[in-house]
Amino acid sequence: MDLLTIMDMPENMMKEVISKAIELKKEGNRNRRDLEGKVLISLYEKPSTRTRLSFETAIYNLGGRSIIMDFKSSQLSRGESMADTARVLSRYGDVISARLFKHETIEELAKWAEIPVINALTDREHPCQALADMQTIIEYGKEKGKLVYIGDAANNVANSLMLVAARYHMHVVLCCPAHFPPNERYVDAARKTGAKVEVVHEPIKAVKDADVIYTDVWVSMGMEAEAEERMKQFAPYQVNSKLLANAKPDCIVMHCLPAHRGAEITDEVLDGNNARAVWDQAENRMWAQEALLLKLLK
Ligand code: CP
Ligand code: NVA
């Protein structure tokens, strides 16, 4: 089985993986042998710090090994097809993780791969981030609460997160500029779970009674041409102290990182106590991916 999108992940499997991640973290054993001899091949077309390192540490913690293949230094950059590459990688590895610009490219990779393929971020989804984020929300005891996503609610992180949170029946509020609406397919899928999913445009009103405020960059990788326009349009959606003062005092602030300090979030908020979960989110990428690798390979 592949994990290309949260859409395709059965709800019980998703919850099982998140519970397992919590359990693995509690046990804290970083010398497991469950995946001894297994090889993770990771393909990167875009930069990464957390995803790359958390996948590597996850497979090492489970006794397996990791190989990173950079797109630029591979024959993909000289025109070798993804179909041929997928078949070759399948002969060396046991599982592939891939961070690619276009979601269609990972679909092509998965179509031809003979081993499981995990989406390590595409322009459409960031499912591994959402699993770790939900783990974090549960660890902070906020999984029955109101999650307000502020900013670019149409990006990869928002798409995956809204579906995972909806499956836990959180009250999901997407707060964004009217002319940068969320992806309707994801909003519809999230609403189909029965969860309350709202799309709103006024940040101060949106964060009232929020248990979780989540933000991400306004200019995702690959959108650089739109940077100037986006920085202008999203400016009123900054997560700053004034906004936070309108949420519950114990509200947690989340960010997948990397953050553009001074743009979508201020230093004051990111370095403050409400945002301490941000560093747990980064750590939880490792535990959630351990749980996922175990599920796909054991
Ligand atoms: N959050 C996340 O995916 O970070 P990286 O881009 O550093 O992998
Ligand atoms: N939305 C961001 C997430 C980075 C982890 C991007 O795609 O650049």
Side-chain angles (χ1 to χ4, degrees):
M1 157 169 194
D2 302 314
L3 175 57
L4 304 191
T5 139
I6 289 289
M7 292 260 193
D8 308 333
M9 196 177 194
E11 183 169 333
N12 57 353
M13 181 180 162
M14 186 196 85
K15 291 187 172 168
E16 198 188 313
V17 167
I18 293 171
S19 303
K20 181 72 181 175
I22 293 171
E23 188 190 309
L24 287 166
K25 184 178 178 179
K26 276 192 190 141
E27 280 174 20
N29 180 359
R30 302 191 57 180
N31 285 301
R32 301 178 73 99
R33 308 256 56 95
D34 309 62
L35 297 186
E36 196 153 27
K38 300 282 187 202
V39 173
L40 164 71
I41 299 183
S42 304
L43 173 58
Y44 280 91
E45 191 182 14
K46 307 190 209 186
S48 169
T49 297
R50 280 144 291 269
T51 305
R52 178 181 162 150
L53 296 183
S54 59
F55 261 114
E56 284 206 281
T57 42
I59 191 83
Y60 291 143
N61 289 350
L62 296 170
R65 287 167 286 173
S66 159
I67 300 173
I68 307 267
M69 186 167 89
D70 176 22
F71 208 90
K72 282 202 197 99
S73 62
S74 77
Q75 296 289 7
L76 281 160
S77 66
R78 293 183 56 250
E80 187 170 15
S81 74
M82 190 50 91
D84 291 351
T85 305
R87 284 177 285 189
V88 171
L89 297 189
S90 304
R91 297 297 174 98
Y92 300 132
D94 298 283
V95 56
I96 298 169
S97 79
R99 169 167 288 196
L100 301 165
F101 279 101
K102 289 196 184 322
H103 194 79
E104 291 74 18
T105 316
I106 203 167
E107 288 175 338
E108 175 76 357
L109 169 63
K111 179 177 161 195
W112 292 98
E114 290 147 18
I115 56 177
V117 175
I118 301 171
N119 180 352
L121 183 146
T122 62
D123 57 358
R124 195 182 301 167
E125 275 211 41
H126 197 0
C128 297
Q129 181 70 52
L131 296 174
D133 292 343
M134 200 61 221
Q135 175 186 352
T136 311
I137 291 170
I138 294 169
E139 286 173 350
Y140 277 84
K142 306 289 185 191
E143 73 277 15
K144 292 193 177 11
K146 174 177 167 183
L147 165 73
V148 184
Y149 183 99
I150 299 194
D152 184 7
N155 78 12
N156 41 17
V157 168
N159 287 342
S160 299
L161 180 69
M162 76 172 90
L163 257 182
V164 173
R167 283 183 177 172
Y168 279 83
H169 295 283
M170 291 190 78
H171 173 190
V172 178
V173 179
L174 305 163
C175 182
C176 54
H179 39 287
F180 285 94
N183 183 320
E184 265 178 43
R185 253 186 80 216
Y186 283 87
V187 174
D188 289 348
R191 284 186 177 142
K192 272 207 187 97
T193 64
K196 185 171 173 191
V197 181
E198 296 178 281
V199 179
V200 302
H201 309 296
E202 289 177 52
I204 300 256
K205 272 195 202 161
V207 299
K208 190 173 180 295
D209 299 326
D211 298 285
V212 180
I213 295 177
Y214 199 115
T215 192
D216 181 19
V217 291
W218 296 333
V219 184
S220 285
M221 291 178 276
M223 289 184 170
E224 289 74 12
E226 296 173 26
E228 208 184 314
E229 175 66 6
R230 284 177 163 266
M231 296 305 276
K232 242 189 271 163
Q233 298 296 335
F234 284 99
Y237 295 83
Q238 183 185 65
V239 176
N240 51 36
S241 305
K242 195 176 146 215
L243 185 72
L244 201 55
N246 291 277
K248 287 184 183 166
D250 66 344
C251 164
I252 60 166
V253 174
M254 299 181 72
H255 194 308
C256 60
L257 302 176
H260 287 189
R261 288 169 175 262
E264 77 276 1
I265 192 163
T266 58
D267 285 331
E268 203 182 353
V269 172
L270 189 52
D271 296 329
N273 192 43
N274 293 84
R276 65 197 187 282
V278 167
W279 317 107
D280 297 306
Q281 283 177 263
E283 176 186 341
N284 286 344
R285 294 294 306 278
M286 178 176 78
W287 302 112
Q289 285 150 206
E290 274 190 35
L292 179 65
L293 289 166
L294 284 172
K295 184 73 201 163
L296 296 180
L297 295 179
K298 275 299 262 189

